[in-house]
Amino acid sequence: MNTLMATLRMIRAGWVLAREGVIAGFPANGLTGPAATAHGVASALARKRSRSLDNAERMTRAIARLGPSYAKLGQFLATRPDVIGLDLALDLAHLQDRMESFPMEDSIRRIEDSLGQSVSELFVEIGEPVAAASIAQVHPATVRDPDGTTRKVAVKVIRPGVRQRFARDLDTFFLFAQMQEKYIPASRRLRPVAIAETLAQSTKIEMDLRLEAAALSEMGENTKDDPGFRLPTVDWLRTGRDVLTLDWVDGIKMSEIDALRAAGHDLDRLADAVVQNFLRHAMRDGFFHADMHPGNLFVDPKGDIVAVDLGIAGRIGLKERRFLAEILYGFITRDFQRVAQVHFEAGYVPPHQDVEAFAQAIRAIGEPIHGQPAETISMANLLTLLFEVTDIFDMQTRPELLLLQKTMVVVEGNARALNPRFNMWKASEPVVGDWIARNLGPGAMLADARNGLESLGRLARTLPDLAERTERLSHEVGDMAEHGMKLDPETVNAIGKAEARESRSGRVALWIIALAALWIAWQVS
């Protein structure tokens, strides 16, 4: 029954996407057979009015009809340009997650159920929602601190029924992923079912607002001394599973370029700051805001960037950061052989591939960069070429790196909107150069040696226990080889009971079959 309902929901989703012109907007180049036919049929079904809209507007209309689960699916797929292509990923990244707000009384019920207190006890006043998205909506409110002062806050409240809706729609997403993996062999490298599992896990995390609060708190600690960047402070007393309360942000959205200019902000400085802060968080902390579209970034009256909505965050380990730094440095110095070797050392490319051929492909990407002015080099174009190379060499998907790459493209887009002459490489140089000096130079070698000695010390302390366990295991294996496997009495009893149940079930089944046969024979006679 679940599969049938998921199939019907998938058919409905396909119909809506076709009617709103979303499928017609996908490139048809390279499609053959049933895929080309399906694209042609979907294009014919598209409403005439949809043909004058761009891809983002078409998807906004379709998502409004399909519901919040599909809005979140679109945002999630924006983090996977390897799956849907970079152009579509960028369209989805700028997709405005705007949904109808839900009634005020539902918000009040959610707040009181989650925090165990009445709204009047928690807030001096709370206003109607000012923004509504797929998972939650935001209310302005005022709170009174213990010293008697009042301050304005933003209260984020989970949408009623959203968890049940997501659980239902996830069945449809899993069915589609299974069909894709079964019938489109070329897609198996991208592991569609694993992508659906990642979506399921990420939405579970995002729908517990305590976890978003924890991410905001962690990044706030990491960035407290960073110039020109901050995050709103969490009000933990008024935060629970379904409610997140933060300091109110007074500022202008980064998407409102004319308003920023009218307020006297230095747009060139903001362009550099948004890129440098993203790189600082990713490379220094290994923890970064992974949904940095301009609607989630505000500029306060002092000119500081304030980031909100940390439902999607990315992490990369020190090892991955070092490999990325080496890859970047290799592109800059034109050491394409080293770039190729780093990919193999990191396990990004399967070992059966030819490192020399891969180095040749990397050179085809890197050489054109050195013939262009720096301000014309687009990270988006560079990543498009890299994704094509990964497909040729059967490179396995690395979700954490793809999330970093996709966010870097979005951040670069923010910077170029602020400053059309933006030079990505010049803006990145202070942060990347400092990180390379600290982590790939002599100081890093000493730190690695110290960490290695500490690891050896911890291993030495566990050696006696390890030796004792090894000796005990050796005796047990020898005894098993000589006398056979011994089962304890509880295990034997459990096996006996299970066999008895199976035997009884088998006898019952045989009696049912026999009685059914007699009844059929009696009916026939």
Side-chain angles (χ1 to χ4, degrees):
M1 181 60 70
N2 283 345
T3 302
L4 175 61
M5 295 305 296
T7 302
L8 293 175
R9 286 193 292 269
M10 185 171 66
I11 292 170
R12 176 182 177 271
W15 170 258
V16 171
L17 292 171
R19 288 291 286 161
E20 297 299 337
V22 175
I23 297 175
F26 294 161
N29 298 336
L31 295 181
T32 58
T37 303
H39 188 278
V41 171
S43 299
L45 290 172
R47 301 177 192 271
K48 290 183 179 179
R49 68 185 183 191
S50 70
R51 294 168 189 170
S52 61
L53 304 176
D54 61 27
N55 287 340
E57 290 175 312
R58 293 174 183 177
M59 284 184 281
T60 298
R61 288 175 176 270
I63 284 170
R65 292 179 61 186
L66 291 171
S69 304
Y70 287 84
K72 189 51 59 183
L73 174 66
Q75 290 178 335
F76 176 78
L77 288 177
T79 70
R80 299 302 306 270
D82 61 317
V83 176
I84 61 173
L86 194 59
D87 290 339
L88 181 55
L90 291 174
D91 285 336
L92 289 171
H94 291 89
L95 183 65
Q96 295 300 306
D97 185 7
R98 295 171 182 161
M99 307 294 293
E100 290 292 326
S101 61
F102 51 88
M104 187 72 178
E105 53 268 26
D106 288 341
S107 284
I108 292 173
R109 191 179 306 113
R110 282 275 176 179
I111 292 169
E112 294 181 341
D113 289 347
S114 184
L115 301 180
Q117 293 178 265
S118 68
V119 166
S120 60
E121 292 176 295
L122 293 163
F123 305 102
V124 175
E125 61 178 353
I126 183 167
E128 293 290 336
V130 293
S134 57
I135 286 179
Q137 68 183 22
V138 177
H139 299 258
T142 304
V143 299
R144 179 171 284 107
D145 289 330
D147 62 3
T149 59
T150 59
R151 57 189 169 87
K152 192 174 181 181
V153 295
V155 185
K156 185 174 182 179
V157 185
I158 286 286
R159 183 176 288 275
V162 70
R163 294 185 181 92
Q164 296 82 354
R165 179 70 181 265
F166 265 89
R168 188 185 70 192
D169 287 339
L170 278 170
D171 288 341
T172 305
F173 301 158
F174 272 107
L175 177 63
F176 181 77
Q178 289 162 358
M179 292 175 64
Q180 184 181 3
E181 210 162 271
K182 182 176 180 179
Y183 297 111
I184 308 176
S187 71
R188 291 170 191 162
R189 179 184 71 88
L190 301 172
R191 300 182 293 175
V193 174
I195 291 170
E197 290 170 351
T198 304
L199 171 63
Q201 180 63 22
S202 68
T203 52
K204 285 179 183 176
I205 292 172
E206 195 170 352
M207 285 188 283
D208 187 335
L209 296 183
R210 294 168 298 188
L211 300 180
E212 181 179 345
L216 284 162
S217 177
E218 180 181 351
M219 184 171 285
E221 290 180 5
N222 292 342
T223 63
K224 64 180 183 293
D225 297 323
D226 290 354
F229 183 90
R230 66 181 178 88
L231 291 101
T233 304
V234 176
D235 184 339
W236 285 101
L237 292 176
R238 297 172 179 85
T239 293
R241 182 170 180 250
D242 296 339
V243 184
L244 169 62
T245 303
L246 303 167
D247 285 344
W248 185 266
V249 176
D250 281 317
I252 302 170
K253 282 188 177 182
M254 192 169 281
S255 56
E256 299 172 1
I257 306 296
D258 292 338
L260 290 172
R261 187 179 291 111
H265 291 295
D266 184 339
L267 301 190
D268 292 356
R269 185 191 66 80
L270 285 173
D272 289 347
V274 70
V275 167
Q276 289 175 353
N277 279 289
F278 163 70
L279 289 173
R280 192 176 288 117
H281 306 158
M283 301 192 74
R284 179 193 64 197
D285 308 324
F287 182 53
F288 58 93
H289 194 310
D291 194 17
M292 292 184 72
H293 66 76
N296 281 343
L297 301 176
F298 290 80
V299 181
D300 70 12
K302 295 187 299 182
D304 291 345
I305 296 169
V306 187
V308 299
D309 195 357
L310 198 51
I312 304 175
R315 291 187 187 273
I316 52 173
L318 180 59
K319 178 183 175 182
E320 285 76 20
R321 283 180 267 162
R322 287 183 174 177
F323 279 123
L324 284 170
E326 284 209 64
I327 290 168
L328 178 62
Y329 188 70
F331 270 115
I332 293 171
T333 60
R334 299 179 65 249
D335 189 352
F336 304 117
Q337 187 70 28
R338 179 58 188 154
V339 173
Q341 289 170 349
V342 167
H343 277 79
F344 279 81
E345 291 170 9
Y348 299 161
V349 179
H352 65 267
Q353 295 289 344
D354 184 352
V355 66
E356 300 295 335
F358 188 68
Q360 180 182 347
I362 293 295
R363 180 179 291 274
I365 297 171
E367 286 289 10
I369 292 175
H370 291 273
Q372 297 182 36
E375 61 270 18
T376 67
I377 299 171
S378 167
M379 185 65 68
N381 292 338
L382 177 63
L383 291 180
T384 299
L385 294 171
L386 279 172
F387 288 135
E388 291 174 358
V389 167
T390 63
D391 187 39
I392 294 170
F393 287 89
D394 197 26
M395 183 171 161
Q396 291 299 305
T397 299
R398 302 283 302 191
E400 73 280 7
L401 298 184
L402 290 168
L403 189 57
L404 176 76
Q405 291 168 332
K406 168 261 169 184
T407 310
M408 189 178 296
V409 172
V410 173
V411 169
E412 182 188 25
N414 295 343
R416 290 193 187 279
L418 293 164
N419 175 14
R421 302 176 307 281
F422 176 72
N423 185 326
M424 182 73 173
W425 306 100
K426 184 178 178 181
S428 305
E429 185 180 359
V431 178
V432 176
D434 180 66
W435 193 90
I436 289 174
R438 289 175 181 271
N439 292 274
L440 297 180
M445 294 181 185
L446 290 174
D448 286 346
R450 184 175 63 251
N451 292 337
L453 289 173
E454 290 174 358
S455 297
L456 284 174
R458 287 193 295 270
L459 178 61
R461 287 194 293 272
T462 62
L463 281 176
D465 184 52
L466 183 61
E468 183 181 344
R469 291 183 184 180
T470 303
E471 184 179 9
R472 187 164 61 247
L473 179 61
S474 176
H475 287 312
E476 289 175 357
V477 170
D479 187 58
M480 191 186 303
E482 184 175 351
H483 302 292
M485 183 180 291
K486 295 180 181 179
L487 300 176
D488 62 72
E490 290 184 5
T491 304
V492 172
N493 288 335
I495 292 173
K497 290 178 181 178
E499 288 186 348
R501 284 195 299 270
E502 291 292 330
S503 178
R504 285 197 299 271
S505 300
R507 287 196 297 271
V508 170
L510 287 173
W511 274 109
I512 291 172
I513 293 170
L515 290 172
L518 288 172
W519 184 81
I520 292 170
W522 179 72
Q523 290 289 327
V524 172
S525 63

